[in-house]
Amino acid sequence: MTVILLALGAACCLGLGFVFQQAAAQHAPMKDFLSVRLLLDLVRMPLWVAGIGLMVAGMALGAVALGMGDITLVEPLLATNLLFAMALSRRLTRQRLGRTGWAGLWLLAGGVTAFIVAGRPQGGRTSADQTWQWLIMGMVLGTALVLAAVAKRERVHVSLEAALLGVAAGLLYGLQDALTRISGEHFGRGGWGALLTSWQPYAIVVLGVLALVLVQSAFESAPLRLSLPALTAAQPLAGIACGVGFLGDRLQVTAGALAWEVAGIVAVVAGIVLIGSHPAMPPGAGRREDVRELEPR
């Protein structure tokens, strides 16, 4: 129960933080798209700093949850950050949930519950097979970089561009969560000495900065509903892949359990898409989409 509460607290901070960040990022200059300079422009905006503060708090709570629980349990719960983003956006826009909103809410909540109940995630030891670990991490990182490269191409439409950047950032955040879990294991075994002499903490920082640039560029270029659902769906999928692939997490593998696990993941993704497309989500860039299409890179 403590792990669940920590993960939900992290999701709340992340969801609210994303709304604040997007509200500020839409006012950033487009010339800094997919550039570290974008962060230097945004850091001067109080609303964005507040959003980052909430995101950092959410990541800290998520790290504690990952240290106490299994990544295959924590990641689906972190996906509920979209519900908290939706709640704040609904208050700001005064839009009613309607059938679409309620359907998305129940699909997301029900999908998370079905996956956890059917899968019964259990932790284990990190795999000693470094080849398998590097292969999975390379696939996740490589996919994220390819998506970011495609999004940067001049012919990509702004809505697809934002979705691709959202997926890329979500994959990096999922990989970051897996490395956070490993860092916690190093700290538990050898304290600060073991933690600071391992490569994972430094990789976490690099992944965090790269993911932040991607997600802020997505927030800058298009409405929140085009990028946040993609990010929210990709992060738990990457985290679960890492958890089962090399962190030693185990799920029930009976035919019935697998069917419910797959159904739960499908329901989570469907709920994320429905909530993300709801009118209550901030319109964000608005007319900037048309400008974005005509602006040379």
Side-chain angles (χ1 to χ4, degrees):
M1 182 58 67
T2 300
V3 173
I4 292 175
L5 292 177
L6 285 170
L8 290 177
C12 178
C13 292
L14 290 171
L16 301 182
F18 284 142
V19 174
F20 289 160
Q21 290 171 48
Q22 197 276 334
Q26 63 177 314
H27 299 296
M30 295 301 300
K31 61 183 177 64
D32 291 340
F33 181 76
L34 283 179
S35 169
V36 178
R37 292 193 305 270
L38 175 60
L39 302 183
L40 299 178
D41 291 326
L42 291 172
V43 77
R44 290 177 286 186
M45 301 181 185
L47 185 61
W48 187 81
V49 173
I52 288 296
L54 283 168
M55 188 178 76
V56 170
M59 288 182 171
L61 290 172
V64 176
L66 287 168
M68 299 176 61
D70 311 319
I71 193 170
T72 47
L73 169 64
V74 175
E75 286 292 354
L77 293 171
L78 291 179
T80 61
N81 74 77
L82 197 60
L83 298 180
F84 297 99
M86 176 69 165
L88 177 58
S89 300
R90 180 172 173 267
R91 183 175 181 84
L92 295 175
T93 60
R94 300 186 183 279
Q95 288 273 356
R96 300 182 62 182
L97 277 179
R99 293 182 179 178
T100 301
W102 281 111
L105 186 154
W106 284 111
L107 280 171
L108 178 55
V112 170
T113 302
F115 179 84
I116 292 174
V117 172
R120 297 179 186 175
Q122 296 180 355
R125 292 185 177 182
T126 300
S127 173
D129 187 353
Q130 294 296 312
T131 301
W132 187 242
Q133 178 177 335
W134 283 107
L135 177 62
I136 296 176
M137 291 193 300
M139 290 177 60
V140 174
L141 179 59
T143 302
L145 295 178
V146 168
L147 293 177
V150 172
K152 193 174 176 61
R153 290 185 58 184
E154 187 173 352
R155 291 190 295 272
V156 176
H157 190 275
V158 62
S159 58
L160 177 58
E161 184 178 79
L164 291 175
L165 290 176
V167 172
L171 292 175
L172 294 182
Y173 280 135
L175 181 56
Q176 186 184 48
D177 290 340
L179 295 181
T180 299
R181 161 87 169 269
I182 297 176
S183 297
E185 293 177 355
H186 288 320
F187 182 78
R189 287 195 298 264
W192 288 105
L195 179 64
L196 297 178
T197 54
S198 61
W199 60 268
Q200 285 87 357
Y202 308 101
I204 289 171
V205 174
V206 174
L207 288 174
V209 173
L210 180 57
L212 191 60
V213 172
L214 294 178
V215 76
Q216 299 307 320
S217 296
F219 289 168
E220 176 193 30
S221 64
L224 192 66
R225 59 176 174 267
L226 297 178
S227 55
L228 187 55
L231 185 158
T232 305
Q235 181 174 352
L237 295 179
I240 291 170
C242 291
V244 175
F246 61 85
L247 292 179
D249 286 1
R250 298 186 300 274
L251 296 171
Q252 295 293 318
V253 292
T254 63
L258 284 174
W260 277 105
E261 290 163 25
V262 172
I265 291 296
V266 171
V268 167
V269 174
I272 287 170
V273 171
L274 286 177
I275 294 175
S277 62
H278 194 274
M281 295 301 284
R287 293 177 60 187
R288 287 167 62 88
E289 291 186 53
D290 299 326
V291 176
R292 181 79 177 85
E293 293 294 336
L294 300 176
E295 186 174 316
R297 304 271 174 95

